[in-house]
């Protein structure tokens, strides 16, 4: 009993580095809630809040995030709302730590019953590897500010990372873990539609890890059922089998960046969709959607009307078919924007500034009226000193450049190269096998989160941040060697005397050794 208590104590002390990072992460979020007791608003915020108040599907976006707002509506407090979102952000960092720590623990296991002998220092190794990889998730101010916004991104990131965590938890997944991965992926897709194609990345990763056909089949079913249920609900409300009324309009905004009607030669009814941008400060996608240059202002029903969606979809696909090279160039260009060192005034001179804590801000009349329906005290001051001043000082120092994300992704590829030699032999496909059965799933998810908006909508800095946790996990899994089976030989010579015949691995150690 005393030996077990001692091992538990040493294990707890080994978590000290991450505990320190977690303390700072919690501290700055508490200060942010005190300094800004109400959420930061964005252009999409009223739609999310209205869907939560009325409990119906959103017209332009899936309402998974609105379900969260609805569930905490009984508190009638925006302060509770932002606190919950910050807790979700902290849990996202915890998931990164747990995934990498667990993989490191499986790569360098102790002997049976946790014995380590003179190798007891290895208890610190998993934490020392995993902790630095949580820093880009827990500490940068833009992550904290995104959690503080009345927006879906922090919830989406957590749900998607939870799905990847379930899929990576074991090499040979039981059916229920596969089902949990599919269900969480569906919840993420219903929070942000960019999550819809990511179930494919998860399934490919599961297949490469030989998760088993039952786990994969159940994952597909548990992913499809919630999506089908939401589509049925949307049909009951609006008479259309869709996730949102506005589908093709986002792709139309993307093509506005390169569409040339002289090449497309649209039919007469589509000529109205030929983009124009009279304000060079704005991105073509933003101008085509939201300014006075938008063709949707001349179409009945605006962007949520059936005519707008039909015309926008047809024009967008005609543009892609006529100019595939220009379309590909725009995707590559905007994907690489994610890795720039400094943020630039894009897509408008003011949008990028909305992702930071303001020095001072007051409710607009429209915000106040809508906020009153959710939180009767919603008109309280939004900037409270001296807490807000502390957040402002933190904001000036704790910024993560996009280049760091690029380095994380490149390192997540390169870290597998040393595994070209294993077991004393050169294996050409060794790095591919090692990377494909571990880092591929989070790495592919991270890259997809950058490419999908660039291909279907427009670049925006808030689209970059959800990719960060997955890049961190991918780097950790690529660096770490494959899991080792636990045996008595794992204990160094000066450890307790045991033999293979007298000891068998415990169930917990077997699970750890087979984890990713």
């Amino acid at each position: 009993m005393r030996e077990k208590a001692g091992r538990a104590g040493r294990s707890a002390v080994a978590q000290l580095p991450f505990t320190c990072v977690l303390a700072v992460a919690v501290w700055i979020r508490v200060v942010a809630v005190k300094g800004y007791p109400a959420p930061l608003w964005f252009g999409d915020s009223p739609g999310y809040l209205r869907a939560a108040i009325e409990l119906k599907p959103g017209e332009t976006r899936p309402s998974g995030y609105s379900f969260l707002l609805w569930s905490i509506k009984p508190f009638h407090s925006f302060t509770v709302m932002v606190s919950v979102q910050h807790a979700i952000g902290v849990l996202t960092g915890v998931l990164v730590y747990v995934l990498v720590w667990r993989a490191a623990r499986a790569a360098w296991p102790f002997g049976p019953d946790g014995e380590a002998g003179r190798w007891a220092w290895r208890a610190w190794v998993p934490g020392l590897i995993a902790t630095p990889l949580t820093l880009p998730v827990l500490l940068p101010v833009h992550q904290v500010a995104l959690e503080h916004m009345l927006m879906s991104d922090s919830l989406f990131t957590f749900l998607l990372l939870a799905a990847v965590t379930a899929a990576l938890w074991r090499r040979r997944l039981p059916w229920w873990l596969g089902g949990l991965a599919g269900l969480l992926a569906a919840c993420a897709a219903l929070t942000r539609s960019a999550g819809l194609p990511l179930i494919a990345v998860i399934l490919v990763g599961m297949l490469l890890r030989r998760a088993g056909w039952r786990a994969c089949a159940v994952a597909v079913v548990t992913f499809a059922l919630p999506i089908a249920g939401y589509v049925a609900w949307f049909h009951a409300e609006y008479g259309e089998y869709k996730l949102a009324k506005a589908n093709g309009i986002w792709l139309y905004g993307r093509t506005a960046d390169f569409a040339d009607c002289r090449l497309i030669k649209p039919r007469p009814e589509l000529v109205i969709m030929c983009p124009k941008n009279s304000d060079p400060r704005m991105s073509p996608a933003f101008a085509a959607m939201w300014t006075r240059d938008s063709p949707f202002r001349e179409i009945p029903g605006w962007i949520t009307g059936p005519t707008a969606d039909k015309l926008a979809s047809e024009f967008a696909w005609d543009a892609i078919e006529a100019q595939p090279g220009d379309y590909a160039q725009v995707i590559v260009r905007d994907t690489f924007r994610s890795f720039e060192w400094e943020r630039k005034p894009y897509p408008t001179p003011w949008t990028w500034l909305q992702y930071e804590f303001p020095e001072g801000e007051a409710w607009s009349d429209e915000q106040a009226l809508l906020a009153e329906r959710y939180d009767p005290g919603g008109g309280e001051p939004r900037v409270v000193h001296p807490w807000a001043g502390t957040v402002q000082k933190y904001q000036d120092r704790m910024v993560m450049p996009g280049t760091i994300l690029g380095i994380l992704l490149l390192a997540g590829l390169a870290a597998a190269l040393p595994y070209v030699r294993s077991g004393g032999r050169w294996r050409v496909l060794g790095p591919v096998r090692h990377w494909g059965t571990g880092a591929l799933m989070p790495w592919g998810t991270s890259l997809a989160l950058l490419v999908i908006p660039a291909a279907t909508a427009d670049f925006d800095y808030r689209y970059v941040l959800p990719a960060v946790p997955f890049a961190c996990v991918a780097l950790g899994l690529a660096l770490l060697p494959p899991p080792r089976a636990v045996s008595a030989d794992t204990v160094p010579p000066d450890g307790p005397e045991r033999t293979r015949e007298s000891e068998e691995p415990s169930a917990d150690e077997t699970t750890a050794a087979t984890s990713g």
Side-chain angles (χ1 to χ4, degrees), residues 484-501:
R484 290 179 58 194
V486 180
S487 70
D489 291 346
T490 307
V491 185
D494 62 339
E497 296 182 0
R498 294 187 181 271
T499 64
R500 285 183 180 271
E501 292 77 9

Side-chain angles (χ1 to χ4, degrees), residues 12-29 90 94 97 124 127-128 130-132 134-135 138-139 394 398:
V13 172
Q15 312 304 322
L16 185 60
F18 179 64
T19 302
C20 295
V21 172
L22 196 61
V24 176
V26 172
W27 165 77
I28 189 56
R29 285 161 173 80
V90 170
V94 171
Y97 180 79
W124 288 83
L128 292 175
T131 297
T134 67
L135 298 180
L138 290 173
L139 299 188
Y394 186 90
M398 297 300 291

Side-chain angles (χ1 to χ4, degrees), residues 418-427 430 482:
Y419 295 96
V420 71
R421 184 174 176 82
S422 63
R425 298 176 59 187
W426 292 96
R427 304 176 189 270

Side-chain angles (χ1 to χ4, degrees), residues 157-177:
T157 305
F158 172 75
L159 290 171
L160 190 57
L161 183 59
V164 170
T165 300
L168 288 172
W169 199 249
R170 294 184 184 176
R171 291 271 181 171
R172 187 74 178 180
L173 281 183
W175 66 267
W176 62 270
L177 266 179

Side-chain angles (χ1 to χ4, degrees), residues 79-355:
T79 303
V80 170
M81 189 210 82
V82 294
S83 299
V84 169
Q85 293 188 175
H86 281 306
I88 290 172
V90 170
L91 287 175
T92 301
V94 171
L95 284 181
V96 172
Y97 180 79
V98 169
L99 273 173
V100 179
W101 183 92
R102 195 167 183 269
R105 184 69 176 84
W108 297 299
F110 291 149
D113 299 325
E115 291 131 358
R118 62 184 173 83
W119 286 18
W121 57 268
R122 290 192 306 180
W124 288 83
V125 173
L128 292 175
I129 293 175
T131 297
L133 294 174
T134 67
L135 298 180
V137 181
L138 290 173
L139 299 188
V141 71
H142 289 119
Q143 294 281 9
V144 181
L146 193 63
E147 296 164 17
H148 210 88
M149 296 188 74
L150 189 56
M151 293 291 288
S152 64
D153 301 82
S154 57
L155 176 64
F156 169 75
T157 305
F158 172 75
L159 290 171
L160 190 57
L161 183 59
V164 170
T165 300
L168 288 172
W169 199 249
R170 294 184 184 176
R171 291 271 181 171
R172 187 74 178 180
L173 281 183
W175 66 267
W176 62 270
L177 266 179
L180 181 61
L183 178 62
L184 289 167
C187 292
L190 293 174
T191 301
R192 257 188 64 190
S193 56
L196 273 172
L198 295 177
I199 185 62
V201 179
I202 293 174
L203 288 173
V204 168
M206 290 171 63
L207 289 171
L208 290 175
R209 291 167 61 83
R210 299 179 181 178
W213 70 268
R214 289 184 180 86
C216 293
V218 174
V220 171
V221 171
T222 55
F223 177 82
L225 287 178
I227 302 294
Y230 185 89
V231 168
W233 183 39
F234 192 92
H235 176 265
E237 187 70 31
Y238 300 111
E240 301 178 73
Y241 288 105
K242 294 181 176 181
L243 291 177
K245 287 186 177 182
N247 293 307
I249 64 164
W250 311 115
L251 187 59
Y252 166 76
R254 172 72 294 176
T255 59
D257 209 307
F258 62 85
D260 186 345
C261 283
R262 293 171 298 179
L263 299 175
I264 300 169
K265 297 180 174 60
R267 61 186 178 89
E269 292 83 357
L270 287 180
V271 172
I272 189 178
M273 305 304 295
C274 293
K276 52 184 180 293
N277 185 2
S278 60
D279 190 340
R281 299 177 303 163
M282 301 180 187
S283 73
F286 187 92
M289 296 287 295
W290 311 114
T291 71
R292 65 178 182 273
D293 295 325
S294 172
F296 299 116
R297 294 185 177 276
E298 303 177 35
I299 299 175
W302 192 51
I303 65 172
T304 57
T307 302
D309 195 57
K310 180 181 178 182
L311 294 177
S313 296
E314 184 178 348
F315 184 91
W317 286 112
D318 286 350
I320 293 171
E321 183 179 353
Q323 301 174 258
D326 294 328
Y327 178 52
Q329 184 178 358
V330 166
I331 294 173
V332 172
R333 182 201 68 193
D334 279 3
T335 298
F336 276 88
R337 285 186 194 269
S338 306
F339 311 131
E340 293 176 344
W341 184 261
E342 293 183 353
R343 293 191 169 201
K344 297 177 181 178
Y346 188 94
T348 72
W350 58 85
T351 302
W352 68 303
L353 296 175
Q354 291 182 276
Y355 304 136

